[in-house]
mmCIF file with all atom_site columns, all heavy atoms in Angstrom:
data_model
loop_
_atom_site.group_PDB
_atom_site.id
_atom_site.type_symbol
_atom_site.label_atom_id
_atom_site.label_alt_id
_atom_site.label_comp_id
_atom_site.label_asym_id
_atom_site.label_entity_id
_atom_site.label_seq_id
_atom_site.pdbx_PDB_ins_code
_atom_site.Cartn_x
_atom_site.Cartn_y
_atom_site.Cartn_z
_atom_site.occupancy
_atom_site.B_iso_or_equiv
_atom_site.pdbx_formal_charge
_atom_site.auth_seq_id
_atom_site.auth_comp_id
_atom_site.auth_asym_id
_atom_site.auth_atom_id
_atom_site.pdbx_PDB_model_num
ATOM 1   N N   . LEU A 1 181 ? 16.910 16.760 -10.912 1.00 0.00 ? 181 LEU A N   1
ATOM 2   C CA  . LEU A 1 181 ? 15.808 17.747 -11.153 1.00 0.00 ? 181 LEU A CA  1
ATOM 3   C C   . LEU A 1 181 ? 16.427 19.096 -10.897 1.00 0.00 ? 181 LEU A C   1
ATOM 4   O O   . LEU A 1 181 ? 16.983 19.271 -9.760  1.00 0.00 ? 181 LEU A O   1
ATOM 5   C CB  . LEU A 1 181 ? 14.611 17.465 -10.378 1.00 0.00 ? 181 LEU A CB  1
ATOM 6   C CG  . LEU A 1 181 ? 13.928 16.093 -10.376 1.00 0.00 ? 181 LEU A CG  1
ATOM 7   C CD1 . LEU A 1 181 ? 12.816 15.972 -9.527  1.00 0.00 ? 181 LEU A CD1 1
ATOM 8   C CD2 . LEU A 1 181 ? 13.710 15.753 -11.873 1.00 0.00 ? 181 LEU A CD2 1
ATOM 9   N N   . ARG A 1 182 ? 16.259 19.996 -11.822 1.00 0.00 ? 182 ARG A N   1
ATOM 10  C CA  . ARG A 1 182 ? 16.778 21.446 -11.407 1.00 0.00 ? 182 ARG A CA  1
ATOM 11  C C   . ARG A 1 182 ? 15.534 22.395 -11.879 1.00 0.00 ? 182 ARG A C   1
ATOM 12  O O   . ARG A 1 182 ? 15.776 23.054 -12.878 1.00 0.00 ? 182 ARG A O   1
ATOM 13  C CB  . ARG A 1 182 ? 17.978 21.640 -12.242 1.00 0.00 ? 182 ARG A CB  1
ATOM 14  C CG  . ARG A 1 182 ? 19.213 21.283 -11.485 1.00 0.00 ? 182 ARG A CG  1
ATOM 15  C CD  . ARG A 1 182 ? 20.465 21.176 -12.435 1.00 0.00 ? 182 ARG A CD  1
ATOM 16  N NE  . ARG A 1 182 ? 20.328 19.817 -13.056 1.00 0.00 ? 182 ARG A NE  1
ATOM 17  C CZ  . ARG A 1 182 ? 21.156 19.454 -14.093 1.00 0.00 ? 182 ARG A CZ  1
ATOM 18  N NH1 . ARG A 1 182 ? 22.149 20.189 -14.434 1.00 0.00 ? 182 ARG A NH1 1
ATOM 19  N NH2 . ARG A 1 182 ? 21.018 18.186 -14.461 1.00 0.00 ? 182 ARG A NH2 1
ATOM 20  N N   . PRO A 1 183 ? 14.689 22.574 -10.910 1.00 0.00 ? 183 PRO A N   1
ATOM 21  C CA  . PRO A 1 183 ? 13.659 23.721 -11.086 1.00 0.00 ? 183 PRO A CA  1
ATOM 22  C C   . PRO A 1 183 ? 14.330 25.077 -11.335 1.00 0.00 ? 183 PRO A C   1
ATOM 23  O O   . PRO A 1 183 ? 15.341 25.395 -10.573 1.00 0.00 ? 183 PRO A O   1
ATOM 24  C CB  . PRO A 1 183 ? 12.806 23.621 -9.894  1.00 0.00 ? 183 PRO A CB  1
ATOM 25  C CG  . PRO A 1 183 ? 13.491 22.897 -8.854  1.00 0.00 ? 183 PRO A CG  1
ATOM 26  C CD  . PRO A 1 183 ? 14.520 22.084 -9.581  1.00 0.00 ? 183 PRO A CD  1
ATOM 27  N N   . ASP A 1 184 ? 13.977 25.793 -12.249 1.00 0.00 ? 184 ASP A N   1
ATOM 28  C CA  . ASP A 1 184 ? 14.512 27.084 -12.539 1.00 0.00 ? 184 ASP A CA  1
ATOM 29  C C   . ASP A 1 184 ? 14.203 28.143 -11.600 1.00 0.00 ? 184 ASP A C   1
ATOM 30  O O   . ASP A 1 184 ? 13.060 28.458 -11.470 1.00 0.00 ? 184 ASP A O   1
ATOM 31  C CB  . ASP A 1 184 ? 14.174 27.467 -14.005 1.00 0.00 ? 184 ASP A CB  1
ATOM 32  C CG  . ASP A 1 184 ? 14.835 28.768 -14.485 1.00 0.00 ? 184 ASP A CG  1
ATOM 33  O OD1 . ASP A 1 184 ? 15.586 29.419 -13.585 1.00 0.00 ? 184 ASP A OD1 1
ATOM 34  O OD2 . ASP A 1 184 ? 14.435 29.263 -15.558 1.00 0.00 ? 184 ASP A OD2 1
ATOM 35  N N   . PRO A 1 185 ? 15.237 28.663 -10.782 1.00 0.00 ? 185 PRO A N   1
ATOM 36  C CA  . PRO A 1 185 ? 14.849 29.701 -9.811  1.00 0.00 ? 185 PRO A CA  1
ATOM 37  C C   . PRO A 1 185 ? 14.146 30.939 -10.310 1.00 0.00 ? 185 PRO A C   1
ATOM 38  O O   . PRO A 1 185 ? 13.317 31.507 -9.645  1.00 0.00 ? 185 PRO A O   1
ATOM 39  C CB  . PRO A 1 185 ? 16.275 30.019 -9.091  1.00 0.00 ? 185 PRO A CB  1
ATOM 40  C CG  . PRO A 1 185 ? 17.216 29.052 -9.700  1.00 0.00 ? 185 PRO A CG  1
ATOM 41  C CD  . PRO A 1 185 ? 16.663 28.418 -10.892 1.00 0.00 ? 185 PRO A CD  1
ATOM 42  N N   . SER A 1 186 ? 14.652 31.247 -11.527 1.00 0.00 ? 186 SER A N   1
ATOM 43  C CA  . SER A 1 186 ? 13.950 32.467 -12.055 1.00 0.00 ? 186 SER A CA  1
ATOM 44  C C   . SER A 1 186 ? 12.445 32.410 -12.207 1.00 0.00 ? 186 SER A C   1
ATOM 45  O O   . SER A 1 186 ? 11.694 33.330 -12.052 1.00 0.00 ? 186 SER A O   1
ATOM 46  C CB  . SER A 1 186 ? 14.563 32.927 -13.469 1.00 0.00 ? 186 SER A CB  1
ATOM 47  O OG  . SER A 1 186 ? 14.266 31.929 -14.451 1.00 0.00 ? 186 SER A OG  1
ATOM 48  N N   . ARG A 1 187 ? 11.955 31.179 -12.375 1.00 0.00 ? 187 ARG A N   1
ATOM 49  C CA  . ARG A 1 187 ? 10.464 30.985 -12.481 1.00 0.00 ? 187 ARG A CA  1
ATOM 50  C C   . ARG A 1 187 ? 9.827  31.297 -11.100 1.00 0.00 ? 187 ARG A C   1
ATOM 51  O O   . ARG A 1 187 ? 8.736  31.748 -10.961 1.00 0.00 ? 187 ARG A O   1
ATOM 52  C CB  . ARG A 1 187 ? 10.146 29.559 -12.975 1.00 0.00 ? 187 ARG A CB  1
ATOM 53  C CG  . ARG A 1 187 ? 10.264 29.346 -14.474 1.00 0.00 ? 187 ARG A CG  1
ATOM 54  C CD  . ARG A 1 187 ? 10.154 27.925 -14.740 1.00 0.00 ? 187 ARG A CD  1
ATOM 55  N NE  . ARG A 1 187 ? 10.274 27.657 -16.237 1.00 0.00 ? 187 ARG A NE  1
ATOM 56  C CZ  . ARG A 1 187 ? 9.168  27.590 -17.043 1.00 0.00 ? 187 ARG A CZ  1
ATOM 57  N NH1 . ARG A 1 187 ? 8.116  27.728 -16.511 1.00 0.00 ? 187 ARG A NH1 1
ATOM 58  N NH2 . ARG A 1 187 ? 9.462  27.411 -18.302 1.00 0.00 ? 187 ARG A NH2 1
ATOM 59  N N   . ILE A 1 188 ? 10.673 30.757 -10.030 1.00 0.00 ? 188 ILE A N   1
ATOM 60  C CA  . ILE A 1 188 ? 10.048 30.892 -8.688  1.00 0.00 ? 188 ILE A CA  1
ATOM 61  C C   . ILE A 1 188 ? 9.933  32.310 -8.308  1.00 0.00 ? 188 ILE A C   1
ATOM 62  O O   . ILE A 1 188 ? 9.075  32.855 -7.768  1.00 0.00 ? 188 ILE A O   1
ATOM 63  C CB  . ILE A 1 188 ? 10.976 30.306 -7.669  1.00 0.00 ? 188 ILE A CB  1
ATOM 64  C CG1 . ILE A 1 188 ? 11.384 28.751 -8.134  1.00 0.00 ? 188 ILE A CG1 1
ATOM 65  C CG2 . ILE A 1 188 ? 10.379 30.290 -6.223  1.00 0.00 ? 188 ILE A CG2 1
ATOM 66  C CD1 . ILE A 1 188 ? 10.391 27.728 -7.852  1.00 0.00 ? 188 ILE A CD1 1
ATOM 67  N N   . TRP A 1 189 ? 11.110 33.162 -8.702  1.00 0.00 ? 189 TRP A N   1
ATOM 68  C CA  . TRP A 1 189 ? 11.075 34.534 -8.543  1.00 0.00 ? 189 TRP A CA  1
ATOM 69  C C   . TRP A 1 189 ? 9.970  35.234 -9.267  1.00 0.00 ? 189 TRP A C   1
ATOM 70  O O   . TRP A 1 189 ? 9.241  35.991 -8.727  1.00 0.00 ? 189 TRP A O   1
ATOM 71  C CB  . TRP A 1 189 ? 12.398 35.072 -8.958  1.00 0.00 ? 189 TRP A CB  1
ATOM 72  C CG  . TRP A 1 189 ? 13.431 35.068 -7.974  1.00 0.00 ? 189 TRP A CG  1
ATOM 73  C CD1 . TRP A 1 189 ? 14.515 34.033 -7.927  1.00 0.00 ? 189 TRP A CD1 1
ATOM 74  C CD2 . TRP A 1 189 ? 13.637 35.753 -6.689  1.00 0.00 ? 189 TRP A CD2 1
ATOM 75  N NE1 . TRP A 1 189 ? 15.301 34.204 -6.940  1.00 0.00 ? 189 TRP A NE1 1
ATOM 76  C CE2 . TRP A 1 189 ? 14.803 35.151 -6.023  1.00 0.00 ? 189 TRP A CE2 1
ATOM 77  C CE3 . TRP A 1 189 ? 12.880 36.717 -6.034  1.00 0.00 ? 189 TRP A CE3 1
ATOM 78  C CZ2 . TRP A 1 189 ? 15.237 35.693 -4.791  1.00 0.00 ? 189 TRP A CZ2 1
ATOM 79  C CZ3 . TRP A 1 189 ? 13.353 37.134 -4.834  1.00 0.00 ? 189 TRP A CZ3 1
ATOM 80  C CH2 . TRP A 1 189 ? 14.475 36.709 -4.254  1.00 0.00 ? 189 TRP A CH2 1
ATOM 81  N N   . ALA A 1 190 ? 9.744  34.901 -10.472 1.00 0.00 ? 190 ALA A N   1
ATOM 82  C CA  . ALA A 1 190 ? 8.682  35.509 -11.377 1.00 0.00 ? 190 ALA A CA  1
ATOM 83  C C   . ALA A 1 190 ? 7.332  35.348 -10.764 1.00 0.00 ? 190 ALA A C   1
ATOM 84  O O   . ALA A 1 190 ? 6.464  36.230 -10.816 1.00 0.00 ? 190 ALA A O   1
ATOM 85  C CB  . ALA A 1 190 ? 8.829  34.974 -12.668 1.00 0.00 ? 190 ALA A CB  1
ATOM 86  N N   . ALA A 1 191 ? 7.047  34.183 -10.072 1.00 0.00 ? 191 ALA A N   1
ATOM 87  C CA  . ALA A 1 191 ? 5.606  33.966 -9.607  1.00 0.00 ? 191 ALA A CA  1
ATOM 88  C C   . ALA A 1 191 ? 5.581  34.380 -8.141  1.00 0.00 ? 191 ALA A C   1
ATOM 89  O O   . ALA A 1 191 ? 4.384  34.280 -7.542  1.00 0.00 ? 191 ALA A O   1
ATOM 90  C CB  . ALA A 1 191 ? 5.430  32.385 -9.827  1.00 0.00 ? 191 ALA A CB  1
ATOM 91  N N   . SER A 1 192 ? 6.637  34.840 -7.530  1.00 0.00 ? 192 SER A N   1
ATOM 92  C CA  . SER A 1 192 ? 6.510  35.010 -6.029  1.00 0.00 ? 192 SER A CA  1
ATOM 93  C C   . SER A 1 192 ? 5.743  36.171 -5.694  1.00 0.00 ? 192 SER A C   1
ATOM 94  O O   . SER A 1 192 ? 5.433  37.079 -6.490  1.00 0.00 ? 192 SER A O   1
ATOM 95  C CB  . SER A 1 192 ? 8.007  35.302 -5.529  1.00 0.00 ? 192 SER A CB  1
ATOM 96  O OG  . SER A 1 192 ? 8.543  36.402 -6.099  1.00 0.00 ? 192 SER A OG  1
ATOM 97  N N   . ARG A 1 193 ? 5.368  36.331 -4.553  1.00 0.00 ? 193 ARG A N   1
ATOM 98  C CA  . ARG A 1 193 ? 4.447  37.502 -3.912  1.00 0.00 ? 193 ARG A CA  1
ATOM 99  C C   . ARG A 1 193 ? 5.240  38.329 -3.001  1.00 0.00 ? 193 ARG A C   1
ATOM 100 O O   . ARG A 1 193 ? 6.090  37.746 -2.315  1.00 0.00 ? 193 ARG A O   1
ATOM 101 C CB  . ARG A 1 193 ? 3.227  36.816 -3.343  1.00 0.00 ? 193 ARG A CB  1
ATOM 102 C CG  . ARG A 1 193 ? 2.619  35.669 -3.931  1.00 0.00 ? 193 ARG A CG  1
ATOM 103 C CD  . ARG A 1 193 ? 1.589  36.208 -4.882  1.00 0.00 ? 193 ARG A CD  1
ATOM 104 N NE  . ARG A 1 193 ? 1.242  35.279 -5.880  1.00 0.00 ? 193 ARG A NE  1
ATOM 105 C CZ  . ARG A 1 193 ? 0.375  34.332 -5.878  1.00 0.00 ? 193 ARG A CZ  1
ATOM 106 N NH1 . ARG A 1 193 ? -0.504 34.209 -4.681  1.00 0.00 ? 193 ARG A NH1 1
ATOM 107 N NH2 . ARG A 1 193 ? 0.086  33.404 -6.884  1.00 0.00 ? 193 ARG A NH2 1
ATOM 108 N N   . SER A 1 194 ? 4.900  39.557 -2.883  1.00 0.00 ? 194 SER A N   1
ATOM 109 C CA  . SER A 1 194 ? 5.443  40.225 -1.715  1.00 0.00 ? 194 SER A CA  1
ATOM 110 C C   . SER A 1 194 ? 4.462  40.225 -0.569  1.00 0.00 ? 194 SER A C   1
ATOM 111 O O   . SER A 1 194 ? 3.327  40.158 -0.748  1.00 0.00 ? 194 SER A O   1
ATOM 112 C CB  . SER A 1 194 ? 5.731  41.786 -2.261  1.00 0.00 ? 194 SER A CB  1
ATOM 113 O OG  . SER A 1 194 ? 4.517  42.408 -2.596  1.00 0.00 ? 194 SER A OG  1
ATOM 114 N N   . LEU A 1 195 ? 5.110  40.371 0.600   1.00 0.00 ? 195 LEU A N   1
ATOM 115 C CA  . LEU A 1 195 ? 4.242  40.277 1.858   1.00 0.00 ? 195 LEU A CA  1
ATOM 116 C C   . LEU A 1 195 ? 3.708  41.620 2.008   1.00 0.00 ? 195 LEU A C   1
ATOM 117 O O   . LEU A 1 195 ? 4.308  42.709 1.758   1.00 0.00 ? 195 LEU A O   1
ATOM 118 C CB  . LEU A 1 195 ? 5.041  39.978 3.053   1.00 0.00 ? 195 LEU A CB  1
ATOM 119 C CG  . LEU A 1 195 ? 5.302  38.328 3.008   1.00 0.00 ? 195 LEU A CG  1
ATOM 120 C CD1 . LEU A 1 195 ? 6.527  38.091 4.145   1.00 0.00 ? 195 LEU A CD1 1
ATOM 121 C CD2 . LEU A 1 195 ? 4.205  37.662 3.471   1.00 0.00 ? 195 LEU A CD2 1
ATOM 122 N N   . PRO A 1 196 ? 2.398  41.817 2.529   1.00 0.00 ? 196 PRO A N   1
ATOM 123 C CA  . PRO A 1 196 ? 1.800  43.135 2.663   1.00 0.00 ? 196 PRO A CA  1
ATOM 124 C C   . PRO A 1 196 ? 2.537  43.865 3.803   1.00 0.00 ? 196 PRO A C   1
ATOM 125 O O   . PRO A 1 196 ? 2.614  45.054 3.828   1.00 0.00 ? 196 PRO A O   1
ATOM 126 C CB  . PRO A 1 196 ? 0.336  42.782 2.951   1.00 0.00 ? 196 PRO A CB  1
ATOM 127 C CG  . PRO A 1 196 ? 0.419  41.358 3.562   1.00 0.00 ? 196 PRO A CG  1
ATOM 128 C CD  . PRO A 1 196 ? 1.494  40.656 2.754   1.00 0.00 ? 196 PRO A CD  1
#
Side-chain angles (χ1 to χ4, degrees):
Chain A
L181 306 179
R182 267 160 285 174
D184 180 359
S186 62
R187 284 170 177 266
I188 313 277
W189 279 105
S192 67
R193 317 272 159 93
S194 61
L195 286 164

